Amino acid sequence: MLELLAQTALNATYAASYIALVAVGLVLIFGVMGVINFAHGELFMLGAYAVVALYADLQLNFMMAVMVGLAFVGCVGLLMERALFRPLRDNPLGGLVASIGFLLILQALVVMGFGVRMEHIPPVTQEVIAFSDRVRFPLSRLYVVVAAVVLLTALWLFLKRTRFGWALRASAQDPEAAALQGISINQTARIAMFIGAGLAGVAGALTAPLVSVNPLMGHSVIVTAFIVIIVGGIGSLEGAVVAAVAYAFVHTIVTTFYDGVIADIVGLSLMLLVLIVKPHGLFGTAERA
Amino acid sequence: MPRASAWTLGWLALAVALVLLPQALSFSQQEILVFLTINVLLVSSYRLLTLTGEWSLGHAVIMGVGAYASALVTKWTGLFVPLSMLVGALTAAAVAWVLSFPLFRMKGFYFLIGSFAAGEIIRLLWKRFQDPFGGAKGLKRIEPMPNLDLGFHHFDFFLPTNYYYFALVAVGICLWLMWRVERSPMGLAFHAVHWQDKLAQASGINVRGYRMLAFVLASGFAGLSGALLAHYIGTINPGSFGVEQMVFILTWAIVGGTSTFYGPILGVVVLTILNEIVLRGMGFEQARPLIYGFILILSVLFLPKGLESLVQGAMARWRVAAPRPAPVEREKQA
C-alpha cells in the first residue's frame, strides 16, 4: 500500500509539472491581455509535433528539438497576438472566439501535414530510477519535472526581478496606468504571448515521447488547464501552480484506484464545487474585464 | 397596400416557398434541409440564452441531453415519438435548471468555462456508463417517427421530405414561442439584465432568476432540437455533441449576429449553403474545419456585428434611397 502511494505520488509529480507549465502560460496570457486562449491545448499539441518532426523524423537531438519547439510555438503565439488579440483588444469575447477559430486551423493544418493517426516517437531514454521493486520512476519523466521546475523558477525570477517583469505585472494590474508610465502595452503583450505559448509548446515537446501524440490531443489538455486556472483563480500564477499540483494528485489517485474517465469527472466536479464555494477561485481576487 | 396585409402576404409567400422547397432539391440536399431546419431551432435557442448576456459553451451537450433522454424514453416505454421528444426537451430544461445553481454563481469568463466543464461532465458520463448510455459507441437503432396517414397524404418519416415537414412545423411553433417570449415583459427583462444589470436589480428585477430562466428555456428548445435529430438519424454518441458541434453553434451565431431574431438563422442558412454547395460541390469537404476556423476569425475581426448588420445597413440605405410616400398621403387626409 505504501509503495502504491509512493508510486502514485511520483506519477502525480510528473503530471503536475507539465500541467503547471500549460496552466501558468494560460494565466499569464489572461493576466496581461485579458483573453482566454482556447487554442492553448493546440499550442501544446504543436510543441509535441515539433518533436515528431525534428526528433522522430529528422532524428535530431531531443533537447534541440525541444528548444526549437519552444521557440516555434512562441512565435506562433506572437502571430496570434498580432493577428487576433491585438485587433480585438477591446473585445475579450471576440478574442476567445477568434482563438477557437485558430484552434480549428491549427488542428486542420496538423492533420494535413501529419495525418490523423497516432504518432510513434522513440523513447529518449529507457533508464528507470528504481527506489524499490514496485516504486520506479522513468528518467524521461524526471526530465519533465526538472525542466518544469527550472522554467517556472526562471519565469518567477523574470517577473519579480527584471524591468520587463515589472512592466508585465504592471500592465496585468492596470493596463492604462501602465501605459501612462510609458510601458508599451504592445510589447508586454508580445512578451506575455511568447512566454505563455512557449511554455505550452515546451510542455508538449517534453511529454511527446510519453503520451499519445495526435492532432486532437489538445482537447484534454485545455480541459485540464481550465480546471486548474479556475480552481487557482484565473489571474493568479501562484494559484495555477498550487492548483496544478492539487489537481494532478487527485486525478492520479482516482485514476489509480478507479479509472481515467472517473478521474476526469471527479476533477471537473471539484472545479464546479470550488466555484460554488468561491466563485473567483481559491487564489483569485476579482474578475477582470 | 396597407402594411399589415403586406406582412401577411410576405409570410404566406415564405410558407409556400418552404413547403415547395424540397421539390427543387436532390435527395441528399433534402437530407441537409432536415438538418438545417433542426439547426435553425438550435441556434435560435442559443440566441435566447445570449439575450441575458451570458455565453454558454455547454449548449451542444444540452442538445444531446434532449437527444439521449428522448431516445431512451422511447426505448424503455415505447412512448409515441413526438411525445417523447417533449420529454427530451423537458429533461434538457430540468438538467439545465439543476446546473444553473452552480453556474449562475459565476459571470463572464467563469460562466463560460464553468458551462464548458459542466457539459464535459455530462459527456464523460455518457462515455463512461455503458448502461444505459451505450458508452463511447452511443445509442443505435433509435425508434424512428411512426408513419402517419392523414388521408390526403401518407407520411413515411424515413423520407427526408416528410421528416422535413414535421420538423418545419415543430421548429416553426418553437420559433413563434421564442418570438413571443422575447416580445413579452419577460423578454424585456432579459434585455434589461444584459444591458443594465445594476439598474435592473435596483428596479426590483431578480437578475439571477431571469438569467436562470433564459438558460432553462433555451435549454428546453435545444433539447427538442436534439430529440428531433436523434429520431431522424437513429444513432447518437457522445462525440455528436462535442466541442466541434459547439463550435458550429458559436460560428453560426457569430457569423449571423445575435442582436436580431433573424441574425443567427441567417448565419446558419448562409453557412450551410456555403458548406454544402461550395465545399462539398467543389470537393473541399475535408477542409471544413480549416474554412470554419478562418470564417470565425474573419467575421470576428471584420464583421463583428454579423451578417445581420449588412441586412440592417442595406435596409437603412433602401429607406433613404426610396422615401415612403407616407407624408404626402397624410397631407391629403388632413
Side-chain angles (χ1 to χ4, degrees):
Chain A
M1 190 62 195
L2 199 64
E3 286 185 318
L4 186 62
L5 280 180
Q7 183 62 54
T8 309
L10 284 176
N11 291 346
T13 311
Y14 153 72
S17 315
Y18 76 85
I19 294 172
L21 284 176
V22 175
V24 163
L26 197 55
V27 166
L28 194 66
I29 292 171
F30 179 79
V32 174
M33 318 220 280
V35 45
I36 293 280
N37 177 20
F38 227 93
H40 213 64
E42 274 56 37
L43 296 177
F44 179 90
M45 184 264 295
L46 275 191
Y49 271 93
V51 166
V52 169
L54 298 174
Y55 170 70
D57 293 351
L58 292 179
Q59 311 207 315
L60 260 67
N61 176 280
F62 180 68
M63 275 321 289
M64 183 98 138
V66 170
M67 291 300 191
V68 175
L70 189 155
F72 171 68
V73 179
C75 291
V76 173
L78 291 181
L79 174 73
M80 290 179 78
E81 194 276 327
R82 185 65 195 89
L84 307 178
F85 298 148
R86 193 182 301 181
L88 293 168
R89 187 168 288 156
D90 303 324
N91 179 0
L93 182 69
L96 179 130
V97 172
S99 76
I100 294 180
F102 198 72
L103 166 173
L104 292 177
I105 294 174
L106 288 182
Q107 274 184 3
L109 289 178
V110 170
V111 169
M112 280 179 194
F114 294 88
V116 285
R117 72 180 200 293
M118 222 169 79
E119 298 289 335
H120 175 73
I121 300 170
V124 181
T125 163
Q126 301 277 31
E127 272 183 66
V128 171
I129 307 167
F131 294 95
S132 76
D133 279 350
R134 289 173 53 202
V135 185
R136 301 155 68 82
F137 199 52
L139 199 60
S140 49
R141 289 189 170 202
L142 184 67
Y143 290 163
V144 180
V145 177
V146 171
V149 171
V150 169
L151 284 168
L152 290 176
T153 312
L155 177 68
W156 190 80
L157 289 174
F158 170 78
L159 287 177
K160 303 276 165 170
R161 297 287 155 83
T162 66
R163 284 180 58 86
F164 283 130
W166 279 93
L168 218 63
R169 287 189 295 141
S171 42
Q173 259 174 21
D174 189 337
E176 276 179 19
L180 283 174
Q181 300 296 320
I183 293 170
S184 159
I185 297 292
N186 284 344
Q187 196 186 19
T188 52
R190 270 198 300 270
I191 296 173
M193 199 63 216
F194 183 85
I195 297 176
L199 287 179
V202 82
L206 283 167
T207 50
L210 300 165
V211 296
S212 68
V213 175
N214 64 69
L216 301 176
M217 67 193 286
H219 178 67
S220 66
V221 174
I222 194 74
V223 173
T224 308
F226 279 162
I227 297 174
V228 166
I229 66 168
I230 289 256
V231 170
I234 293 188
S236 162
L237 292 174
E238 291 86 353
V241 175
V242 173
V245 174
Y247 175 83
F249 270 81
V250 170
H251 192 273
T252 315
I253 288 169
V254 179
T255 308
T256 311
F257 290 100
Y258 297 94
D259 64 68
V261 180
I262 295 279
D264 287 348
I265 294 173
V266 168
L268 288 161
S269 309
L270 278 181
M271 182 192 102
L272 282 181
L273 197 70
V274 167
L275 282 175
I276 294 166
V277 181
K278 282 202 76 176
H280 292 302
L282 294 179
F283 293 78
T285 45
E287 193 174 350
R288 205 190 135 174
Chain B
M1 188 160 47
R3 233 173 121 72
S5 67
W7 273 108
T8 320
L9 269 183
W11 280 110
L12 267 177
L14 180 67
V16 170
L18 285 176
V19 169
L20 292 179
L21 185 58
Q23 311 304 327
L25 302 175
S26 72
F27 186 81
S28 68
Q29 286 171 331
Q30 288 172 351
E31 289 207 302
I32 286 148
L33 189 61
V34 175
F35 295 133
L36 175 60
T37 313
I38 294 169
N39 288 337
V40 164
L41 175 58
L42 179 63
V43 77
S44 298
S45 75
Y46 192 63
R47 174 171 179 272
L48 180 62
L49 166 71
T50 62
L51 281 185
T52 59
E54 297 297 350
W55 288 64
S56 156
L57 289 180
H59 211 60
V61 176
I62 291 289
M63 174 198 193
V65 170
Y68 269 91
S70 181
L72 287 174
V73 164
T74 47
K75 191 175 143 196
W76 288 332
T77 66
L79 189 69
F80 184 50
V81 169
L83 288 180
S84 80
M85 287 178 180
L86 287 180
V87 175
L90 290 175
T91 313
V95 168
W97 182 70
V98 172
L99 286 180
S100 65
F101 287 98
L103 289 183
F104 281 102
R105 287 183 56 86
M106 318 163 206
K107 275 178 71 180
F109 283 132
Y110 286 89
F111 177 80
L112 203 73
I113 294 176
S115 63
F116 179 67
E120 280 301 300
I121 293 179
I122 296 175
R123 236 160 56 80
L124 287 171
L125 288 173
W126 291 336
K127 215 180 223 172
R128 176 65 175 69
F129 291 101
Q130 198 75 29
D131 182 44
F133 303 119
K137 286 191 188 134
L139 299 173
K140 294 206 175 66
R141 275 173 291 149
I142 297 166
E143 192 67 27
M145 257 309 267
N147 291 350
L148 181 70
D149 206 341
L150 276 185
F152 66 91
H153 187 79
H154 181 79
F155 284 94
D156 171 2
F157 288 107
F158 270 118
L159 290 174
T161 325
N162 290 330
Y163 202 87
Y164 162 69
Y165 289 135
F166 171 66
L168 193 63
V169 171
V171 171
I173 293 171
C174 289
L175 290 182
W176 180 76
L177 284 173
M178 278 190 254
W179 172 258
R180 297 296 308 178
V181 164
E182 198 184 336
R183 293 289 141 144
S184 71
M186 197 202 295
L188 291 178
F190 289 161
H191 282 286
V193 166
H194 183 181
W195 298 110
Q196 294 284 347
D197 67 340
K198 294 272 171 4
L199 185 61
Q201 201 157 17
S203 324
I205 289 176
N206 179 353
V207 169
R208 195 169 145 202
Y210 275 104
R211 286 213 164 101
M212 284 168 73
L213 186 62
F215 185 59
V216 169
L217 280 176
S219 301
F221 287 117
L224 186 67
S225 74
L228 282 169
L229 182 73
H231 291 283
Y232 179 63
I233 54 176
T235 164
I236 50 173
N237 61 62
S240 333
F241 308 105
V243 180
E244 198 174 327
Q245 179 69 15
M246 191 60 235
V247 170
F248 287 146
I249 301 175
L250 211 55
T251 314
W252 297 327
I254 284 179
V255 169
T258 52
S259 70
T260 62
F261 195 83
Y262 60 80
I265 302 178
L266 196 64
V268 67
V269 171
V270 167
L271 283 181
T272 306
I273 292 174
L274 177 93
N275 189 46
E276 297 310 326
I277 294 180
V278 182
L279 298 190
R280 192 167 297 189
M282 290 165 68
F284 283 144
E285 178 66 5
Q286 292 302 316
R288 185 156 92 142
L290 188 71
I291 289 165
Y292 261 64
F294 273 111
I295 290 175
L296 206 51
I297 289 176
L298 292 178
S299 61
V300 173
L301 283 176
F302 300 112
L303 199 62
K305 295 202 171 92
L307 288 171
E308 68 187 8
S309 63
L310 295 183
V311 176
Q312 283 167 334
M315 269 162 68
R317 236 169 290 138
W318 180 73
R319 281 204 192 111
V320 173
R324 284 207 218 105
V328 184
E329 277 175 19
R330 215 176 290 148
E331 272 174 21
K332 272 182 196 162
Q333 280 164 2

